Amino acid sequence: MPGKSTPLKTTYHHGDLPQQAHQLALETLREHGDSAISLRALAKQIGVSAPALYRHFIDRESLLAEVAVTGFESLRERLLAVDQSSPRLALVDIGLVYVSFAQEEPNLYRLMFGGRVLPRGVHPRLDMAGKNAFQVLEDTIARAQQVGYVKPIPLSLMTAAAWSMVHGLAQLTIDGHLPSAKAEPHLAEGVVTLLLDGSLANNEQQHKDTSS
Amino acid sequence: MPGKSTPLKTTYHHGDLPQQAHQLALETLREHGDSAISLRALAKQIGVSAPALYRHFIDRESLLAEVAVTGFESLRERLLAVDQSSPRLALVDIGLVYVSFAQEEPNLYRLMFGGRVLPRGVHPRLDMAGKNAFQVLEDTIARAQQVGYVKPIPLSLMTAAAWSMVHGLAQLTIDGHLPSAKAEPHLAEGVVTLLLDGSLANNEQQHKDTSS
DNA sequence: GTAACAATGTTACTGGTGATAACTTATGCC
DNA sequence: GGCATAAGTTATCACCAGTAACATTGTTAC
């Protein structure tokens, strides 16, 4: 593996092109959005010719898809880190973590969910990564249902509602339609709580605000 | 106004370029998404040179913004047509109409809310059109609150929750993350109802399902 | 009516992009 | 060492947004 111990020496073979391209694409995405990602510009920054990238990514969209995959994995890890000891806290926190992720990484989040630039059904790994992240949300809701904390409505319905809520709030805030967390720190909590309180099992309704 | 009575005659001046470009862009958007809109292609289809379009649209984004404006106006009209006689029916229906619009016009909806391609604060008419559409939703909620049907929580919070919910559901379904109305006809109703039931005033909770 | 002007077209061009073909060089395996 | 293959290279195509300079038409003042 040449160039590893002497990175300054110009070698014909780069040795780590895919990973470096991925990393640089992620940084460009973060700063300037997905439309700013050009294979030619990436190649020039890395110091390689543009067609070299096509040895590792079948096209531009595939590179974007790989970046989006790591985005979903990152989101999933954050969701998995939520404390699950209390059903209510877990539900609220997972919603807040979800929204926070989108607000901290708006361009990455837009890439992950911008159905136009990365359509479903084209990149299997991307679809899977998205599903895995979503699964954490669903598992948390299922757990709260099994404990009897939320109404026994169909899990798919409850999950769809929760996901729609946090995803909608995320999108609307990062696009400036609704005030961001900076301007309205408690908006996300209020919104998530509002949905949650409509989903409580009856015996939980009276003391629902004691645990928050 | 030459060429009006004899539309087949080739005239140097087109006479209706902006409107025809707008219309054609809308059709292209509907069928193939905003990324398929190219000023050159539009010009060729209309039978005019590409730079001619720049006499009427300062750049590509401005054309897209104009299309998005008409999209918001169309959405607003649909929301205004909702029957407002019953607070509950009005709230549910306005949510369903909102989601239906997105599902019937996915590419248009994506353009309207794809913050990446049309950022806020750049096209004042677009921002205004979006605000006007949103206002219909807020007014409906305010009305229901004044009648005492929903909890007296801050209007901005209630509105943010409702908008987040329908917007999130719209996005997730048109991008294939959640089943569309075709696969799950009652999903939208269930989701909207779930949020609504968490927002009812206390005296409405027992007979909340009699009016649906 | 015509001259001046503004509006709306035109061709020619620049710089940038994704993608492919054909060629070259290094790597690793036998 | 020799050779297949992986991973680079240059050359090229087709498309795109946008600008400059020029041409034509419509309108308005005189």
Side-chain angles (χ1 to χ4, degrees):
Chain A
M1 218 172 275
K4 193 177 177 183
S5 51
T6 59
L8 287 180
K9 180 186 288 181
T10 297
T11 54
Y12 189 87
H13 281 67
H14 181 281
D16 200 28
L17 226 193
Q19 196 155 1
Q20 193 172 345
H22 183 122
Q23 181 60 29
L24 195 54
L26 176 58
E27 289 168 15
T28 307
L29 170 71
R30 277 194 169 113
E31 292 173 29
H32 303 104
D34 61 287
S35 64
I37 297 179
S38 122
L39 293 192
R40 300 173 98 91
L42 287 183
K44 181 175 280 182
Q45 282 187 262
I46 297 175
V48 89
S49 73
L53 292 173
Y54 287 87
R55 296 280 172 193
H56 306 280
F57 308 96
I58 65 175
D59 55 12
R60 192 186 102 108
E61 197 176 287
S62 295
L63 171 56
L64 293 182
E66 286 204 17
V67 174
V69 164
T70 62
F72 274 119
E73 289 169 350
S74 168
L75 171 59
R76 178 167 176 273
E77 283 173 22
R78 288 224 219 169
L79 295 179
L80 280 174
V82 166
D83 176 22
Q84 293 275 352
S85 54
S86 149
R88 180 180 185 85
L89 278 186
L91 288 170
V92 172
D93 273 7
I94 211 165
L96 296 184
V97 165
Y98 189 102
V99 175
S100 293
F101 177 87
Q103 292 182 347
E104 288 169 28
E105 297 280 6
N107 285 326
L108 178 55
Y109 189 83
R110 266 197 279 256
L111 174 66
M112 291 157 57
F113 284 100
R116 192 189 58 87
V117 43
L118 285 178
R120 298 282 99 180
V122 177
H123 305 93
R125 285 183 54 214
L126 177 61
D127 296 352
M128 185 68 74
K131 213 173 175 183
N132 288 342
F134 163 74
Q135 193 64 46
V136 182
L137 181 63
E138 185 164 80
D139 289 348
T140 304
I141 295 174
R143 224 170 282 128
Q145 257 189 352
Q146 284 158 11
V147 177
Y149 184 72
V150 306
K151 289 180 191 167
I153 52 180
L155 178 60
S156 64
L157 175 60
M158 183 71 215
T159 310
W163 197 12
S164 295
M165 180 66 92
V166 291
H167 175 65
L169 182 59
Q171 285 267 11
L172 291 175
T173 51
I174 68 182
D175 287 347
H177 290 101
L178 287 177
S180 70
K182 239 180 180 172
E184 289 278 355
H186 298 304
L187 177 62
E189 191 177 347
V191 165
V192 168
T193 305
L194 198 51
L195 172 64
L196 182 50
D197 289 349
S199 316
L200 292 177
N202 280 338
N203 55 336
E204 302 282 350
Q205 296 237 2
Q206 38 271 33
H207 55 90
K208 67 195 177 193
D209 41 356
T210 61
S211 52
S212 99
Chain B
M1 220 170 274
K4 191 179 179 185
S5 51
T6 59
L8 288 180
K9 182 186 287 182
T10 297
T11 54
Y12 189 89
H13 283 69
H14 181 281
D16 199 29
L17 226 193
Q19 195 155 1
Q20 192 173 345
H22 183 121
Q23 181 62 28
L24 196 54
L26 177 58
E27 289 168 14
T28 305
L29 170 71
R30 277 193 168 115
E31 292 173 28
H32 303 104
D34 60 287
S35 64
I37 295 180
S38 123
L39 292 192
R40 300 175 97 88
L42 287 183
K44 181 176 281 185
Q45 282 187 262
I46 297 175
V48 88
S49 74
L53 292 173
Y54 288 86
R55 296 283 173 193
H56 307 279
F57 309 97
I58 65 176
D59 55 12
R60 193 186 100 107
E61 196 175 289
S62 295
L63 171 57
L64 292 182
E66 286 204 16
V67 173
V69 165
T70 62
F72 274 119
E73 289 170 349
S74 167
L75 171 60
R76 179 169 176 270
E77 282 173 22
R78 288 223 221 171
L79 296 179
L80 279 173
V82 166
D83 175 22
Q84 295 274 354
S85 53
S86 149
R88 179 178 186 85
L89 277 187
L91 288 170
V92 172
D93 273 7
I94 211 165
L96 297 184
V97 165
Y98 188 101
V99 175
S100 293
F101 177 86
Q103 292 182 347
E104 287 169 28
E105 297 280 6
N107 285 325
L108 178 55
Y109 189 83
R110 267 196 279 254
L111 174 66
M112 290 156 59
F113 284 100
R116 191 190 57 88
V117 42
L118 285 179
R120 298 283 98 180
V122 177
H123 308 279
R125 285 184 53 216
L126 177 60
D127 296 352
M128 185 68 74
K131 212 172 174 182
N132 288 342
F134 164 74
Q135 193 63 47
V136 182
L137 181 63
E138 185 164 80
D139 289 349
T140 303
I141 295 174
R143 224 169 283 129
Q145 258 190 351
Q146 285 159 7
V147 176
Y149 184 73
V150 306
K151 289 180 190 168
I153 52 181
L155 178 60
S156 64
L157 175 61
M158 182 72 213
T159 310
W163 196 11
S164 296
M165 179 66 92
V166 290
H167 175 65
L169 182 59
Q171 286 266 11
L172 291 175
T173 52
I174 69 182
D175 286 348
H177 289 100
L178 287 177
S180 69
K182 240 181 179 173
E184 289 278 354
H186 298 303
L187 177 62
E189 192 177 347
V191 165
V192 169
T193 305
L194 199 52
L195 171 65
L196 182 52
D197 289 350
S199 317
L200 293 176
N202 279 338
N203 57 336
E204 302 282 351
Q205 297 237 3
Q206 38 271 32
H207 54 88
K208 68 194 174 192
D209 41 356
T210 62
S211 52
S212 97

